[in-house]
Amino acid sequence: IKGDEPVVIGPDADYASIRERADRRLFPTQRIFREMRPLGSGYFEVDVRTPIRAYKSLRPGLAGRHQVENAIIAIRAAECLGWTADEIRHGIETAVWPGRLERFAGRPAFILDGAHNPHAAKALANHLAEYCPDGVWMIFGVMSDKKHEDMIALLSPHVRQWIFTRPGSARAREPAELAAPVESGVVEPDVRAAIAYARANAPEGTTVVVCGSLFLIGDARNMLN
């Protein structure tokens, strides 16, 4: 934070140090009016009213309640840059983010999410609690420097079957180590084998979530496409 530029923050970045440094240039978003209406599958229509203007019936292109908050932050930042209402609406409604609650239809259906830290795992867990209340099968792999214990603890209440595997990176943590504290966890050597196991064994109607690493998501997307 330097110079005279505006500083736009969401609720998760509302720290005293940021407020002190930004001072009058701070643009917080937590009190901005928003009214959400669910459209199904984690998508929403939302009315937003900022100090600049009102946006009616926005339909963010990204799934998840947390993406509505992200959209409001993006709206406020775009207003600071002088974007028009039409430009902002277009950006919010056409945004695409591969590997973020990205759905692949089939039997079983797959959801790919790039959550690779506890904060993102919490957002994913909240989404699963709301939209997959019966639980999911989860293909999980992480880099060795990530807090995998915290991520597994956050996600476990929503997982019926763990499948641990190794992302395609030399920095990946061994799947057997991930599986050690988890009862009935399955270990597969790579994401191709993990997907094959899920397809062969997941019960009818199961949703399979792949998460833990962007390397893992990239490999899975290539296979599912």
Side-chain angles (χ1 to χ4, degrees), residues 28 43 94 108 125-126 169 175 185 196 214 217:
Y43 291 91
T94 63
N126 290 339
S169 169
L214 295 173
I217 294 302

Side-chain angles (χ1 to χ4, degrees), residues 9 13-24 26 28 30:
I9 63 168
D14 192 3
Y15 301 122
S17 56
I18 292 179
R19 285 185 169 274
E20 181 180 351
R21 184 67 180 265
D23 195 22
R24 59 182 176 79
L26 187 72
Q30 54 264 50

Side-chain angles (χ1 to χ4, degrees), residues 6 38 119 145 177 181 196:
H119 183 81
D145 60 340
E177 183 180 347

Side-chain angles (χ1 to χ4, degrees), residues 1-222:
I1 301 174
K2 56 188 178 181
D4 294 322
E5 74 277 11
V7 179
V8 181
I9 63 168
D12 292 335
D14 192 3
Y15 301 122
S17 56
I18 292 179
R19 285 185 169 274
E20 181 180 351
R21 184 67 180 265
D23 195 22
R24 59 182 176 79
R25 294 171 288 138
L26 187 72
F27 291 82
T29 63
Q30 54 264 50
R31 294 185 180 178
I32 286 178
F33 172 85
R34 78 285 308 269
E35 185 175 277
M36 300 166 58
R37 297 175 290 277
L39 298 174
S41 300
Y43 291 91
F44 292 88
E45 181 178 81
V46 58
D47 299 333
V48 177
R49 187 168 62 247
T50 74
I52 303 297
R53 62 173 71 95
Y55 304 84
K56 298 284 289 184
S57 302
L58 284 173
R59 295 194 172 192
L62 303 179
R65 286 185 180 274
H66 58 289
Q67 295 295 1
V68 174
E69 186 63 44
N70 288 343
I72 292 170
I73 296 169
I75 288 168
R76 202 71 181 99
E79 288 178 342
C80 290
L81 294 170
W83 289 21
T84 67
D86 287 343
E87 288 171 331
I88 291 172
R89 178 179 292 275
H90 177 77
I92 295 298
E93 295 190 339
T94 63
V96 176
W97 198 352
R100 293 292 186 181
L101 292 179
E102 183 178 13
R103 300 183 67 89
F104 288 81
R107 297 185 178 180
F110 283 80
I111 295 177
L112 273 55
D113 194 83
H116 57 277
N117 57 52
H119 183 81
K122 183 177 180 181
L124 174 58
N126 290 339
H127 181 83
L128 296 178
E130 185 170 4
Y131 294 101
C132 300
D134 295 329
V136 299
W137 280 36
M138 184 162 290
I139 297 173
F140 185 82
V142 296
M143 298 294 104
S144 59
D145 60 340
K146 301 301 180 181
K147 296 180 178 179
H148 65 275
E149 300 99 333
D150 294 343
M151 295 173 65
I152 290 172
L154 287 163
L155 294 167
S156 281
H158 315 289
V159 178
R160 301 203 316 260
Q161 177 64 60
W162 285 97
I163 306 171
F164 295 102
T165 191
R166 181 186 178 92
S169 169
R171 296 191 296 110
R173 190 172 293 277
E174 290 298 328
E177 183 180 347
L178 299 175
V182 177
E183 185 176 352
S184 302
V186 172
V187 173
E188 293 292 345
D190 54 45
V191 69
R192 183 178 297 277
I195 289 174
Y197 180 90
R199 282 176 164 162
N201 295 281
E204 183 73 20
T206 298
T207 296
V208 179
V209 176
V210 184
C211 79
S213 164
L214 295 173
F215 289 96
L216 189 71
I217 294 302
D219 292 342
R221 286 191 87 247
N222 290 336

